[in-house]
Amino acid sequence: MSFADIISACLGSSSPAQRQAPYLSADEAANMPLEAFVHRSIESAPSALEQNSAFSDILRKHIEGGADAGRVAQAVQDALTRLASNDADRASAQWACRILALTAQAPAAGSSGYHPPQAQGQSYAQAAGTDGGGWEVQRPHHQSQPPAHPQKQGDTYVRSYFFPSEESFQALVQFLGSAHTSLDICVFNITDNGVADAIIAAKRRGVDVRIITDDEQLQCRGSDVERLQRDHDIPFKTDNDPSKFMHAKFAVIDRRAVWCGSYNWTVAGRRQNNEAVICTNDLDAARAFSAEFDKLWSQFQ
């Protein structure tokens, strides 16, 4: 089945007689931001096909300008879901775009690691922070020396974040927001509603979310974990052992990138405590943390 066939299937039984597609000129489309271009060009698909060369060039310019495949897939899904005529068509649209997102994020042959979506309007180098020679450097707010064995940009990254810092917190939110298929969270506690909102957003995108936390912290005032299960059907497990703590603090997205460190997912951790975190898409690290999570998930209740 071709990409065009997938799109046709997503639109279900809609026909020109049932839905009049508005006209969109290439000149108007060329001045639109990425999401608007995707939405309007799909809504006005006959216009896009009639001006195929011009519309294809517009899309290529967005891609060459650093457009992220995940953002494109999400915009396509939103447009198709809105145009779908029934629940079955909407489900088809969501799954077709999930296929595209998974295909886009798969590492190319001979490469490793997962690159989360770039910051809007920035190249990868701008989002990550690089020096003149192309080495990655820490961006948030600390000036640091390059590592003894720096990694060249473009394959594997390692980023450091420090708390208290709203900028570092937003990096965590962006990390959680870049999950496409799975989000495994293993933390001592979650009391920061900002983090909880990012987890809920991932669940609503169709991401498979699982949480492991400490049994005693589960009962602490302000803990969000039980609420996440009750209101959003997000499963969790605890160590169920009052003689010790489940004190690990890490998260893995799509089994391809890891956020780990001393940072507790709490308001105090975000705004008061001195904490340090490493975020990396090193594939060996991601596999190791995924294996640890799976082990704990099987072990705990």
Side-chain angles (χ1 to χ4, degrees):
M1 179 179 285
S2 67
F3 176 73
D5 293 332
I6 294 175
I7 298 301
S8 297
C10 291
L11 292 173
S13 59
S14 296
S15 66
Q18 295 171 310
R19 182 180 68 84
Q20 295 298 320
Y23 179 77
L24 178 64
S25 70
D27 288 341
E28 183 181 359
N31 294 315
M32 292 179 174
L34 175 62
E35 284 83 356
F37 169 74
V38 172
H39 279 264
R40 290 288 305 280
S41 63
I42 291 176
E43 183 182 35
S44 309
S47 303
L49 292 175
E50 288 172 5
Q51 307 166 83
N52 176 63
S53 178
F55 274 68
S56 297
D57 286 343
I58 294 170
L59 179 58
R60 289 191 189 96
K61 288 180 180 179
H62 280 294
I63 295 172
E64 291 169 357
D68 175 71
R71 285 177 57 204
V72 174
Q74 184 63 53
V76 170
Q77 175 178 312
D78 292 344
L80 294 180
T81 301
R82 179 169 52 85
L83 295 173
S85 59
N86 54 58
D87 289 342
D89 290 347
R90 282 185 281 274
S92 295
Q94 291 173 2
W95 177 241
C97 293
R98 183 73 56 78
I99 292 172
L100 298 178
L102 288 170
T103 301
Q105 77 177 46
S111 68
S112 64
Y114 173 73
H115 300 287
Q118 297 168 356
Q120 186 172 358
Q122 294 181 314
S123 67
Y124 177 82
Q126 291 170 324
T130 63
D131 64 16
W135 305 113
E136 291 188 359
V137 297
Q138 179 188 319
R139 191 172 184 81
H141 52 266
H142 291 276
Q143 189 71 26
S144 60
Q145 296 297 320
H149 301 286
Q151 297 173 326
K152 273 291 188 179
Q153 173 203 324
D155 194 17
T156 301
Y157 67 76
V158 178
R159 299 173 187 161
S160 54
Y161 299 97
F162 302 93
F163 293 82
S165 166
E166 281 300 308
E167 193 168 3
S168 293
F169 176 75
Q170 290 305 318
L172 171 60
V173 171
Q174 182 180 13
F175 176 81
L176 299 175
S178 65
H180 290 290
T181 59
S182 66
L183 171 56
D184 290 332
I185 299 168
C186 184
V187 290
F188 188 51
N189 198 358
I190 301 175
T191 64
D192 190 327
N193 290 341
V195 176
D197 289 343
I199 296 171
I200 293 168
K203 177 68 175 181
R204 289 175 175 169
R205 291 196 307 273
V207 176
D208 183 17
V209 182
R210 299 184 294 175
I211 298 174
I212 292 174
T213 191
D214 182 74
D215 56 342
E216 294 184 1
Q217 290 298 309
L218 188 67
Q219 307 304 321
C220 288
R221 182 179 179 182
S223 176
D224 289 309
V225 176
E226 289 185 315
R227 176 176 68 88
L228 292 174
Q229 182 189 60
R230 181 185 66 248
D231 297 344
H232 303 282
D233 198 29
I234 296 175
F236 74 86
K237 291 187 177 183
T238 73
D239 56 330
N240 197 31
D241 186 348
S243 67
K244 64 180 182 180
F245 290 128
M246 201 306 297
H247 210 238
K249 305 175 188 72
F250 68 87
V252 185
I253 59 171
D254 304 333
R255 295 183 174 268
R256 293 184 182 276
V258 180
W259 172 283
C260 64
S262 66
Y263 171 68
N264 284 304
W265 294 22
T266 63
V267 175
R270 170 183 175 182
R271 297 176 178 171
Q272 299 176 18
N273 299 345
N274 296 113
E275 311 282 3
V277 171
I278 288 290
C279 179
T280 181
N281 67 344
D282 178 81
L283 198 53
D284 289 337
R287 286 170 176 163
F289 276 94
S290 291
E292 177 66 12
F293 186 95
D294 290 341
K295 183 191 77 175
L296 296 177
W297 189 259
S298 299
Q299 174 185 334
F300 293 158
Q301 299 179 1

